[in-house]
Amino acid sequence: MLIIRHDEVRDALRGQERQVLALVDETYRLHDEGRTALPHSVFLRFPDRARDRIIGLPAYVGGPDAVAGMKWIASFPGNVADGRARASAAMLLNSMADGTPEALIEASLISAQRTAASAALAAARLVPDPAPRGIALIGTGPINREVLRFTRAHLPSLREAVVFDLDRTRAAAFADRAGEVAPDVTFTVADRVEQALAGHPLVSLATSAVEPHLDLTACPPGATVLHVSLRDLTVEAVLGAQNVVDDADHVCRERTTLHLAELATGGRDFIDAPLGALLRGSTPFRRDPARTAIFSPFGLGILDLALARWVRDAALAHGTGTRIEGFLP
């Protein structure tokens, strides 16, 4: 068994934004071609702790270097007030030769970067302006930090960012530190969420909201909204927009806004296209520059798997990680 620690994962991924974007792009295309296996995620919830959960994401990615495994990720939003990370995660990879577990990888950064890379890929396909100058970041945790990193890598025209958080001190600290990710971007801290929404036609929502609370009336016409946290927007906002998802069967679950929209309308006709088909050009979907477009990614285990495989291979190539002998019988 190969154990790969957080610091080793961080070192392997440092400066690899282009590689991560390419891996996520390729995996979405394989998924759209039917070359993956992706059972529904398993949610472990607790009767007396409504905000906390642990999710299991089993997955398989085919192709010449096939891989199978599972991510086990906990989300405890109360950790943030104590100065700890909201999410923690581990990835288990299995051998495709005999099924035995062969690598255990700390996966919090893998999870954040695959989320951000998917958002950046969607942004590049959905923004009407091929060279957008700014982005609004609502929610100032690690996910939007990575969204900033990957959208800046994929859309190098970005030069401005407006940030908003319910905790203004947290938002200001985020803006101060974000120079490490995007040193050539100018940051503004918004006092109200409406000010942030109006600031730029590209918006990323990455909060810990559990119920819809936000409409998009403050957004500029033709805005592109990366609805990463899945529960911020009202049903009306979703139904009034063009909607791209990572996978409709996965995103219409667990009382996401899209799940609530499906319950309200009795169907999924409001979903226009999956991102994999958009990347492959296999959908008739066309972006209407006069309408808002929303990308809602449930977060697919196949993306975690593809990045974890790459991290494992990098560890093997460079002799990092800790090999535990005698783990198996």
Side-chain angles (χ1 to χ4, degrees):
M1 173 70 81
L2 180 66
I3 310 294
I4 305 177
R5 299 173 301 172
H6 172 79
D7 289 354
E8 294 164 325
V9 174
R10 181 199 60 205
D11 291 346
L13 291 173
R14 182 180 286 121
Q16 297 295 327
E17 289 84 4
R18 294 291 179 190
Q19 179 66 38
V20 172
L21 284 162
L23 285 169
V24 171
D25 184 295
E26 176 190 24
T27 306
Y28 272 130
R29 292 169 186 263
L30 288 170
H31 185 56
D32 193 60
E33 294 167 6
R35 300 173 67 188
T36 65
L38 191 63
H40 279 307
S41 305
V42 176
F43 281 70
L44 175 61
R45 299 186 185 277
F46 313 103
D48 56 344
R49 303 175 65 161
R51 298 186 69 197
D52 298 338
R53 62 181 187 260
I54 308 177
I55 311 172
L57 292 83
Y60 164 79
V61 179
D65 188 18
V67 61
M70 181 170 179
K71 181 174 77 170
W72 186 241
I73 180 167
S75 175
F76 281 52
N79 286 356
V80 175
D82 296 330
R84 293 176 292 163
R86 174 188 62 84
S88 57
M91 251 347 258
L92 184 67
L93 304 188
N94 292 79
S95 166
M96 290 305 300
D98 60 12
T100 55
E102 60 181 12
L104 180 64
I105 305 170
E106 199 285 323
S108 59
L109 187 56
I110 287 172
S111 186
Q113 291 204 357
R114 63 81 152 142
T115 300
S118 69
L121 290 169
R125 293 287 174 146
L126 294 175
V127 289
D129 182 352
R133 282 200 55 82
I135 185 170
L137 302 167
I138 297 173
T140 54
I143 298 299
N144 257 345
R145 177 183 172 90
E146 295 302 323
V147 169
L148 174 63
R149 182 195 308 276
F150 280 90
T151 51
R152 178 67 183 84
H154 205 41
L155 296 168
S157 60
L158 291 176
R159 289 292 184 274
E160 301 171 6
V162 56
V163 301
F164 174 80
D165 196 282
L166 292 175
D167 183 339
R168 198 182 194 284
T169 301
R170 178 175 160 88
F174 177 96
D176 288 342
R177 293 192 306 269
E180 302 166 11
V181 172
D184 52 355
V185 170
T186 301
F187 293 88
T188 302
V189 178
D191 294 318
R192 297 177 298 109
V193 68
E194 293 82 5
Q195 179 188 350
L197 289 173
H200 296 288
L202 175 59
V203 178
S204 176
L205 300 170
T207 78
S208 57
V210 295
E211 295 289 340
H213 63 98
L214 190 63
D215 64 40
L216 296 175
T217 54
C219 287
T224 297
V225 179
L226 309 173
H227 189 203
V228 176
S229 39
L230 291 178
R231 294 171 177 84
D232 287 280
L233 297 181
T234 64
V235 168
E236 292 74 19
V238 165
L239 294 180
Q242 291 184 294
N243 287 281
V244 172
V245 301
D246 52 2
D247 185 293
D249 287 337
H250 287 261
V251 81
C252 290
R253 296 182 69 219
E254 295 294 327
R255 296 190 65 79
T256 66
T257 301
L258 280 81
H259 185 199
L260 298 179
E262 179 185 29
L263 294 175
T265 62
R268 300 176 182 174
D269 291 345
F270 60 91
I271 296 177
D272 295 282
L275 180 57
L278 204 60
L279 294 171
R280 291 180 63 224
S282 60
T283 172
F285 170 80
R286 293 293 178 269
R287 177 73 166 96
D288 181 349
R291 297 180 65 193
T292 297
I294 299 172
F295 173 58
S296 298
F298 188 74
L300 305 183
I302 52 174
L303 306 179
D304 299 284
L305 204 55
L307 265 63
R309 174 184 59 193
W310 188 86
V311 167
R312 177 205 63 192
D313 292 348
L316 291 172
H318 295 99
T320 58
T322 302
R323 185 164 293 281
I324 305 298
E325 303 296 341
F327 178 81
L328 297 171

